[in-house]
Structures are given as C-alpha cells and as structure tokens.
Amino acid sequence: MSDLDQFRSETRAWLEANCPPEMRKPVATDDDVFWGGRNTKFSSEAQKVWFERMRDKGWTVPDWPTQYGGGGLDPAEAKVLREEMAAINARPPLSSFGIWMLGPALLKYGTDAQKAEHLPKITAGLIRWCQGYSEPNAGSDLASLQTRAESDGDDFVITGQKIWTSYANYADWIFCLVRTDPTAKKHDGISFILFDMASKGVSTKPILLISGKSPFCETFFDGVRVPKSHVVGTVNRGWDVAKYLLQHERAMISGMGGRSAGRPLGQVAATTVGSDAQGKLDDPILRGEIARFEVDEAALACAAERAIDLAKAGQGHPAFSSAMKYYGTELNKRRYEILMSAGGIDALEWESPRSKEGARARDWLRTKANSIEGGTSEVMLGIVAKRILDLPGA
Amino acid sequence: MPLVLTEEQSLLRDSARGFINEKAPIAHLRKMRDERDATGFSRDLWKGFAEMGFAGLLVPESFGGSGLGAVEAGIVLEEIGRNLMPSPFLSTAVLAASALVRGGNAEQQAAYLPKIADGSLIATFAVDEGAKHKPLSIAMQAVRAGNGFKLNGAKALVVDGHVADLLIVAARTSGNAGERGGLTLFLVDPKAKGVSVERTVMVDAHNAARITFDNVEVSADAVLGEVDQGGELLDAVLNIGRGAVASEMVGLSEEVFNRTVTYLKERKQFGKLIGEFQALQHRAATLYIDIEISRAATLKALQTLDQDAAKADHAVSVAKAHAGTTATRAVQEGVQMHGGMGMTDQFDIGLFMKRARVCQELFGDDNFHAERLAEARQY
Ligand SMILES: Cc1cc2nc3c(=O)[nH]c(=O)nc-3n(C[C@H](O)[C@H](O)[C@H](O)COP(=O)(O)OP(=O)(O)OC[C@H]3O[C@@H](n4cnc5c(N)ncnc54)[C@H](O)[C@@H]3O)c2cc1C
Ligand SMILES: Cc1cc2nc3c(=O)[nH]c(=O)nc-3n(C[C@H](O)[C@H](O)[C@H](O)COP(=O)(O)OP(=O)(O)OC[C@H]3O[C@@H](n4cnc5c(N)ncnc54)[C@H](O)[C@@H]3O)c2cc1C
C-alpha cells in the first residue's frame, strides 16, 4: 500500500470514528455553519465536538503548517481528506474569512511575528475576521478607494467608510485596504492593514438584503489608531496583497457552485414537480435544463480539480481563479433558478413552517450576490480578457 | 491521479503536434477535398503514423503496439483536431483496435492487431443506422444460418467505410430494438458477397460511408465476443470513441479560438483593434473558460476509461456533451468574429465549423449525452 493509500484508510477510519452523525448532513441553515470568534456560540453539542476534534487534529485548516495549528498536509493528502469528508458529507468544522482569505495572504506576505500572532487564532477559531475592501465609490474599481490612513508617529490614523462588509457586526478583527499615499497613482498608494474591530472609532450599521437577512454592514472609521506594525507587506504596496487575497477568495466562491453530493437535482425537483409513468420528471423542458446543468456542474468540478493539480505542477495561471469564479457563480445562480422553478408556488412562501421560513427563496436570492461579491462577473471576464488572452485595451 | 498530463504524455503530445503540424496542416485536407482524392487520406502519412507508434497506440505490446490507453489516444486526436487531419486514426487505431483488444479471441487478435499496429490494415466500426445515434435501436439482423450467420441491414456514417479492409458490425441476433440484450458484433470482410459500400461525401470532407448488407454470410468465427452479449462491448468501444471525439473537439475548439483571438488583435474598425471592444472581449473570455472546462472534463473521462472503464459512462457523457456544446459555440464565434472573412471558403474557420458539426453527431451529440446522464441519475 502506498503512503497515500495508507493515509486514506487512516483518514477514513478517523472520520468514521470522530464525525458525529449530525455533522454528516448538508448545511441547511445559517446555524449549521460555525464561524468561530470571541462571541461565538455553538448551535449544538455535535457541532462543538466536531469542531474541537478537528481543531485538535489540525484539520480546521488541513494544509497550513502545524506550527500555526494547521494539519501540515501536502496537497495530495489534503485532497484525500477533502474527498473522504465529501464521501460522508461531513460539514466543514469551521468557516472563516481568516481561513479562506487572510491566512493565505499572511502566509505569503506576513512577517513571522504577524503569522505567529494571527494564524493560530484562526485555526483555533478564536478570532473572526471581516474584509474591508469595498467603499461606496469603490466597487469594481476597487483601487479608487478613499479611506485615509495618516501617519502619526508609530501609528496610522484611519478615517473613512467601507460598505458591504460581510459580518462586520460579528467580526473581531478586520483586514482593510487604506490609502496611505493620496498623491501616488491609484494602485500605488494603498496599504493592507489589520486592526481590532473593538478599537475606538469603529462602528458598523447592518444592511438588509433582498433575502431578508442582513449579513453585511456599512463600516465607519473615525480616527481609528492602528500601530504601523499591523501593515501586511510593504506600505503603499498593499495592492499586491489585496490581489493575491482575491485569488483565494475567488477560488473559494467558485466552489460554491459545485455541490454534487447528495441527491441529484432532478430527483429533488421530482418531489414537487412529480414524475410521469416512466419515472421521468413530469416537465420535459425542465428535465432537459437540469440535465444540461448537471453536465456543466460535473465538468466544472473537473476543472476545479485540474486547477489545483496544475497549480501543484507549477503550470497554473494566477488569473485562472477569475475564470472559475465566473463559471461557478453563474452556475450556482442557474441551480437556484432551477430549484425555484421546480419548487413552484411551494417555494414562494416567505413565512411558513412548510417552507422553513422561505429557506429556498432566501437561498435563491442570496445566490444573486455570488456574481457580484469578490468581483463581479463582468470584472472577472475583463481579467481573463486582459491577463490570460492579452486582448488590447482590456 | 492528477488531472494533468504526465511527462511521457506531454512528450507524446509534442511529437504528435510536431508531426501533424509539419505533414498535415489544413492545406492537406483542402487538397484531399479539392482533388476529390479517392482514398480520402494519405497512405504515406498513415505509414508515418504507424512508424511513430500511433497506429498501434492501443494495441498491446505483444501484438506490436505500444499498449497505451485512452488518455494517449485523446492526445493524438486533439492534435488531429487542431489540423483537421484526415486520418484513419479514429476508425482503426481507436475504435477497431479497442473492439479487438476488448472483445477479440486469441486468433482474432493475432490476425488483425499486428496489422493495425504496422499500418497495413484499415478497420472500422459500423454502428449507426438512422439519422441520430441510437445504439440500442440497432435493427440490422443477424440470423443463424448453417454454421454461421446471415446479415441483413444498413449502416450509415461508417468512418473510413469505403477504404476499410475490415468492418466490425453491430447487429441484432435476438430481442427487439431498444434492448441491450441480443446485440452481437461481427467481423465482416467488406469484399464479401452482398456487402455494398457507398462513399458518402460529407460536409466536413472527412471519410464516411453507407454500407448495406444483403444476405451476407459470415462464419461463427466472425463473432467478436459473445453472441447476444455484444451490448456491453459495444458500449465500451463507443465510450472510448466518445472520449476520443471529445478530445478532437477540444483540439479544434482551441485552434479556432486561438485563430480568432489573433484576428481580434489584428483587425481594425472604427480606428481601433476589434479586440478592444468589450462586447467581443467578454465573449472571447467565456469561450476560453468553456474550452478549459471541456478540456478538464475530457481528460477526466479519458483517465476514467483507463482506470475503471466500467464506471466511465458518467464522465464520458459529461465530456462529450460539454465538449460538443463548446465546439459548437467556438466555431460559431469564430466565424462571427471574423466577419465576412469567416464566411469564405478560402478562410479555414469554416472548415472547423463543418468538422465540429460532424464530431457532435459522432457517437451522440450533447443532447444525447445530457439525456443519458438524466436517465442514469433517475429523473
Ligand atoms: C453579499 C455580498 C457580500 C459582500 N461582502 C463584502 C465584504 O465582505 N467586503 C467587501 O469589501 N466587499 C464585499 N462585497 C462588495 C463587493 O465586492 C462589491 O459589491 C463588488 O465588488 C461590486 O462593486 P459595486 O457593488 O460597487 O458594483 P459596481 O462596481 O458599481 O458595478 C455595477 C455594475 O457595473 C458593472 N461594471 C463595473 N465595472 C465594469 C467594467 N469595467 N466593465 C463592465 N462592467 C462593469 C458591474 O459588473 C456591475 O454589474 C460584498 C458584496 C455582496 C453582494
Ligand atoms: C454573404 C455576405 C454577403 C454580403 N453582401 C454584401 C453586398 O452585397 N454589398 C456589400 O457592400 N457588402 C456585403 N457584405 C459585407 C457585410 O456587410 C460585412 O461583412 C459586414 O458589414 C461586416 O464587416 P466585416 O466583414 O468587415 O467585419 P468587421 O467589421 O471586421 O467585423 C469583425 C467582427 O468585429 C465585430 N465588430 C466590429 N465593430 C465592432 C464594435 N464597434 N463593437 C463590437 N464588435 C464589433 C463585428 O460584429 C464582427 O463580429 C456581405 C457579407 C456577407 C457575409
């Protein structure tokens, strides 16, 4: 048996013994996701047990170095763990912007002190992070951001406004883009800085989404003092860090489309649409749409797998995550259009126990943000046109 | 297994690319077409293919081949697709060789495989009968007669049918149209009495034929695999063919795409390069993404065929459907973005459009494979 086969069988046995049955069901509501942080609560004993066992194993972030509380797995082992978790439908023990976004950027650009300070608190689920990028006048054109950071001795003093800051009202710390040189060209005067959301001068105001939830905020900074040592990377070179982080964010968002585990979409649809005498979905055109969707979904899963393997082989293109983000998010929107069509009027009840308080409709509405957050679809296509296809003026 | 080519596979790709680019650029296809070449491919180049080890790619080493797999066959077909090379590689080296390797007995293998590998035998697979690919609806009859069988029926879109030295024919020995049971594969000599071959000149200028069988007598030795049990062998060979054609479509899509992007960087209108117009940039970007996804799905299908062929249906249908949809879009965008130039025969893009249409139909188009997936997933 090869080392990897050995690892697979040990992993399978460990998961079998340690993943509680309640944690082997698809995530259905927000309560099913554990985000960590200072004020965190577990929604069930099983969620707590599962998180703690995975944390102790280093598997909240399996591929980070063990010195930071990660699992130290190489890419092949990490893939095996993902596959084995998917095979039993195991939920992620911990979800966090620290894992998906900040961590990779710190590993590449952070000082040893910054890594030692922040990474262990991410893997242990102690600190919850939010992302302070977008501003009212800097969305797609992020580099035009205006939040100022003025030098004052050993500190920067930060003043300005962010918007669409997901979970800012729950987050403990923020990774934030600020303008440190207002005279430089727009990409050249930006710094990437970390600070505590409990700092004096930080306030947040939730924004209600079309889904009826308010997972994001307006975030205001009024003379917030932050030590200069909290800048990641070089002062005024924050755009490099920001872009690198976005690649990871986009790869993560693109994966939201690929949830092929569980029942085939056509069978889910059949529970409301019905089946004909041959057992086929009783709406041939919807059936065809679903089949086409499933082809694209399965093909995307192959591309996601290949992207990882290409990166490992040193053949990946850094802008490819934009391509995946475009396809994955458009696909997820398609999935929910199908689900809403299949659900018919049952899926339209907003407030009823039958509809679990409009769960499907709320999810459907939430997916519309997928092609906006982390860079819009149009921006992704622009990046592909410019950086991969090298088209003029893109 | 990582979803990237190994080093040996990359070398194979480079040598196939080098050979085909040099010896069979698109001018080669044009020449065949314009001169109405009777063979429809170059026997010299096929010899070259044999010398390079391509003809016997799937033939076991014990029969003079290289004993490689579907991934390698796909690599060669991708390069064929880039240059629209007319070649019996698909019919002989992929379909017929796979059928013999998987279904042949020792004598059959010894009789034909070495000749496939050395390039001296052209062989093909005759399945389809009607306008659309419906392998289970095979109506061609094979009735027991004396020691053997008597064949009656007609086949269409038989690739390289008019130049083949050996036909592998799917016929019904029992059961009814629509059933998997009752199908049998036969090895038939095209010169046998009662076989008539009509070369069909196709839209893509690649070889195809309609073949009718009128009381054709074959001996019991002509059965490939088991009588009535040919359904599985048929599926297995078709799946390899589908994966191979998906590769060809990935190759041709990428070539059309590269040519189109080059054109966007050269052609000026309104005082600008047309590649500066966002309306075209975004369409080019989505096409690039589709091609990359088709490529990944196709490599997955080919790897699955090599590792666990019995479980490859899903991956194969995903690849054939996705690559088919992508190729259809790639050639249409190619013509559209070339404007009036794209509509001319002198320009190559139209030739890609024609070949893509044929590749779609070969062994099931995107609709067929989406339907197959829905059926398998029981909805
Ligand atoms: C649910 C959700 C969560 C989010 N979470 C966060 C977060 O945690 N932190 C954070 O910083 N931000 C967050 N965002 C903000 C997100 O990054 C921005 O919404 C996004 O970058 C788009 O900016 P905008 O909303 O200002 O739209 P705009 O940039 O104004 O875009 C409007 C439209 O114009 C199009 N457009 C813009 N420029 C071009 C162009 N050059 N070519 C073609 N079309 C163009 C866009 O594609 C879009 O369709 C979140 C957004 C959502 C919806
Ligand atoms: C069958 C046929 C018959 C014809 N008959 C005649 C005839 O009888 N008389 C005659 O005078 N002409 C005729 N034409 C020419 C026809 O009008 C032109 O082909 C057409 O106007 C496009 O010009 P073009 O071919 O130079 O393409 P281009 O203008 O070079 O266009 C190439 C691509 O760039 C795109 N593009 C160009 N500008 C923009 C932009 N600003 N934004 C976004 N995309 C852009 C185009 O849509 C196209 O996809 C004929 C063409 C054909 C194919």
Side-chain angles (χ1 to χ4, degrees), chain A residues 131 133-134 139-140 164-166 216 369 372-374 376 378, chain B residues 278:
Chain A
Q131 177 184 36
Y133 274 31
S134 306
S140 297
W164 321 128
T165 328
S166 295
F216 60 19
I372 300 170
E373 60 198 325
T376 68
E378 292 74 22
Chain B
Q278 197 179 57

Side-chain angles (χ1 to χ4, degrees), chain B residues 267 269-270 274 277 280 336-337 339-340 343:
Chain B
R267 169 75 173 164
Q269 287 290 279
F270 301 101
I274 57 172
F277 298 122
L280 302 188
Q336 177 65 21
M337 293 189 195
M343 287 299 298

